[in-house]
Amino acid sequence: MLLNKFLNTSIKKSLLFNLSVRNGLRYLAGVSIDKFDHLDFCDEKLQKYLEFLRKEFYNLRANASSNRDYRRIAQLSDVVKALEQHRVVKGNMISKEEVAAEKDEDMKELMEEENKVYGELLKKTEAELLNQLYLMADGENYESVIFEITAGAGGQEAMLFAKELLNMYTNYFDKHGWDYEILIEDSSDIGGLRHANVTINDAEAFRSLRYEAGVHRVQRIPSTEKYGRVHTSTASVAVIPRPADIAIRLLEHELKIETKRSSGAGGQHVNTTDSAVRIVHLPSGVAVESQSERSQIKNKEIALKRLQSKLIQIEMESAEASVKGTRKAQLGNLERNEKIRTYNFPQDRITDHRIRDGTLYNLKEFLQGGENLHNLIRKLAIENRRKKFQEMIDNFQDSTTELVNKEKS
């Protein structure tokens, strides 16, 4: 009653609007407010950094002249929007001194009730602002990624594990409704996987999967082990961003297409017809082949996809030299003592070695690419984004201090 009686129209509209959207604010992968590491938004250093970002945004919006500027604007847009919402809510709150000085008890009660409502909204806007700051700390996002899995140390057991990882991740892609295509799936004779190359076209894929890159280690007793000994094998995951401005056109006159008889298992038809296809891209000299299908037409389709994938990777590496270093850093040397995560079958345990409390159980459910994998990916993302954001603030302070010292000298 008091709230409706005394609040002016503009404040009531603001409250109603904020109350209507409070449940619609987007939080990081569904994490509730109480799971965020709250920042002290009264901290002077943080406020200076936030104001710097706000000024950068409006300056770029007025003077943008390159694709890089426009990408930075897009990166800052949601941060500035959340910051300004936070400031509006905070600005509407009545100071403690003003409440204490109020003599009218009814008015004081109204002011306290109003501050309580705004206090709840402030928590929401702080969570949203923190969410956007963490996403900004992740750096530039990509609409498409190349996702690779490669068997490492451990022979056939490593290949079987690599196949399980491919199944786990493709299940994860399916559960999230991502558009993906397996371009290369080099299988072993016993159903394992030597190497797979998958393209994923979804704006959320890179941010979700980037922390899955590295060496995955499995510890278990192989079915062929006679003495019950636990074997350790590895497989690696690489997550390589694919910039939107990289596109490859395959021109027919630049391709040399050869057919031949397939080798290996596959039946009489495969071994007696020219179903295998080899394609050479004449300008680059890159050659690919496919003989996994009975049909020459299907093998040609697969070979063309493999060729396009290889050419895209070459283009990315020439456009950005760090991509090659990225893959090498992610894959490591594929040694058993290099790992980001261990899958221990005797103990039914998964341990991610990069974060605290990174151990969970129920390997069977985890390898289905369900909620357990999703929760671990989300936890890794939050932890890495938090660290990156803290580094951004620290670097901002260092550069500011350096600038001040130069001006004094």
Side-chain angles (χ1 to χ4, degrees):
M1 295 289 291
L2 287 170
L3 192 63
N4 288 328
K5 182 177 180 180
F6 290 102
L7 287 181
N8 62 48
T9 304
S10 63
I11 292 180
K12 283 198 290 183
K13 286 182 178 179
S14 176
L15 275 173
L16 288 171
F17 171 77
N18 282 291
L19 286 168
S20 69
V21 301
R22 63 191 299 182
N23 293 324
L25 291 175
R26 290 175 290 114
Y27 301 111
L28 183 59
V31 179
S32 59
I33 295 173
D34 59 357
K35 291 187 179 179
F36 276 92
D37 291 329
H38 281 291
L39 293 175
D40 180 6
F41 284 96
C42 295
D43 181 76
E44 185 180 356
K45 294 178 181 178
L46 177 60
Q47 285 301 318
K48 285 182 178 179
Y49 181 64
L50 293 175
E51 182 60 17
F52 171 80
L53 294 178
R54 191 187 71 82
K55 289 180 178 178
E56 181 188 3
F57 171 74
Y58 284 109
N59 180 57
L60 283 172
R61 201 167 73 166
N63 302 295
S65 59
S66 65
N67 288 336
R68 183 178 180 181
D69 288 343
Y70 290 116
R71 287 197 299 268
R72 181 61 174 167
I73 290 171
Q75 193 178 41
L76 291 172
S77 178
D78 287 338
V79 172
V80 173
K81 180 180 178 181
L83 173 61
E84 293 181 342
Q85 286 179 345
H86 178 264
R87 288 181 174 179
V88 166
V89 173
K90 190 173 183 179
N92 282 333
M93 294 187 72
I94 304 168
S95 68
K96 292 181 181 179
E97 292 77 14
E98 192 175 348
V99 174
E102 179 58 54
K103 303 300 182 183
D104 186 293
E105 290 301 319
D106 287 342
M107 181 61 75
K108 181 180 285 190
E109 182 183 350
L110 171 64
M111 294 164 77
E112 290 172 346
E113 288 181 6
E114 183 180 332
N115 269 357
K116 185 177 180 180
V117 173
Y118 278 123
E120 289 299 312
L121 289 173
L122 196 65
K123 291 179 182 178
K124 296 284 186 180
T125 59
E126 285 180 357
E128 173 65 2
L129 177 54
L130 185 59
N131 174 22
Q132 296 302 335
L133 288 168
Y134 278 5
L135 290 176
M136 181 192 69
D138 241 357
E140 189 172 350
N141 197 26
Y142 298 88
E143 296 292 322
S144 179
V145 299
I146 296 172
F147 187 83
E148 298 179 349
I149 297 177
T150 305
Q156 290 289 353
E157 182 64 21
M159 296 180 196
L160 291 172
F161 177 53
K163 178 65 175 180
E164 289 175 283
L165 289 182
L166 178 63
N167 291 339
M168 177 182 77
Y169 284 116
T170 52
N171 285 341
Y172 186 79
F173 305 161
D174 288 332
K175 289 177 189 293
H176 285 76
W178 294 347
D179 175 33
Y180 69 92
E181 183 176 9
I182 300 175
L183 296 181
I184 301 173
E185 187 173 359
D186 185 6
S187 300
S188 69
D189 295 338
I190 63 170
L193 178 74
R194 295 183 182 87
H195 176 76
N197 182 302
V198 185
T199 58
I200 311 168
N201 300 301
D202 194 282
E204 291 299 316
F206 180 67
R207 279 182 170 153
S208 296
L209 296 173
R210 63 185 303 177
Y211 302 110
E212 292 300 286
V215 177
H216 295 239
R217 182 177 71 173
V218 62
Q219 296 174 325
R220 62 183 169 190
I221 303 171
S223 58
T224 55
E225 170 57 49
K226 297 179 181 179
Y227 303 103
R229 292 173 299 189
V230 174
H231 289 220
T232 299
S233 307
T234 65
S236 68
V237 171
V239 182
I240 303 168
R242 177 179 169 181
D245 56 354
I246 288 183
I248 297 294
R249 291 181 61 194
L250 297 178
L251 303 177
E252 190 172 347
H253 69 272
E254 295 180 344
L255 304 178
K256 179 181 179 182
I257 301 176
E258 303 170 338
T259 59
K260 62 178 181 178
R261 293 184 181 180
S262 297
S263 59
Q268 183 177 0
H269 175 81
V270 169
N271 293 314
T272 58
T273 61
D274 292 338
S275 58
V277 175
R278 183 175 185 269
I279 301 177
V280 180
H281 184 246
L282 298 176
S284 64
V286 173
V288 296
E289 66 177 67
S290 174
Q291 58 179 354
S292 59
E293 300 294 329
R294 290 166 58 89
S295 164
Q296 185 185 109
I297 295 174
K298 288 190 175 181
N299 278 327
K300 182 179 177 181
E301 290 175 357
I302 293 171
L304 285 170
K305 288 177 182 178
R306 288 180 178 176
L307 177 60
Q308 187 172 47
S309 176
K310 280 196 172 186
L311 293 175
I312 285 171
Q313 291 180 28
I314 292 170
E315 181 71 18
M316 287 170 58
E317 288 166 3
S318 62
E320 187 178 357
S322 62
V323 171
K324 189 176 292 184
T326 298
R327 180 186 282 108
K328 184 176 180 181
Q330 291 178 357
L331 296 180
N333 295 318
L334 295 177
E335 297 296 335
R336 294 176 178 86
N337 61 346
E338 287 187 341
K339 76 275 185 184
I340 61 166
R341 187 177 299 154
T342 295
Y343 303 71
N344 187 297
F345 277 76
Q347 298 177 15
D348 195 28
R349 168 179 59 82
I350 309 100
T351 299
D352 197 288
H353 303 282
R354 296 165 292 176
I355 54 174
R356 292 181 182 179
D357 303 322
T359 295
L360 56 157
Y361 296 88
N362 194 346
L363 262 166
K364 182 178 179 181
E365 195 282 335
F366 190 87
L367 289 171
Q368 290 173 357
E371 194 67 20
N372 283 352
L373 175 61
H374 176 68
N375 289 339
L376 183 56
I377 287 175
R378 182 175 63 185
K379 190 174 184 179
L380 283 162
I382 293 173
E383 179 63 20
N384 279 279
R385 288 164 183 167
R386 184 191 65 78
K387 288 179 180 178
K388 287 181 181 179
F389 180 62
Q390 188 59 55
E391 288 173 2
M392 290 169 69
I393 294 177
D394 293 341
N395 291 336
F396 172 74
Q397 282 302 120
D398 292 342
S399 61
T400 303
T401 303
E402 185 179 344
L403 182 62
V404 171
N405 291 335
K406 284 183 178 180
E407 289 177 351
K408 287 182 179 180
S409 61

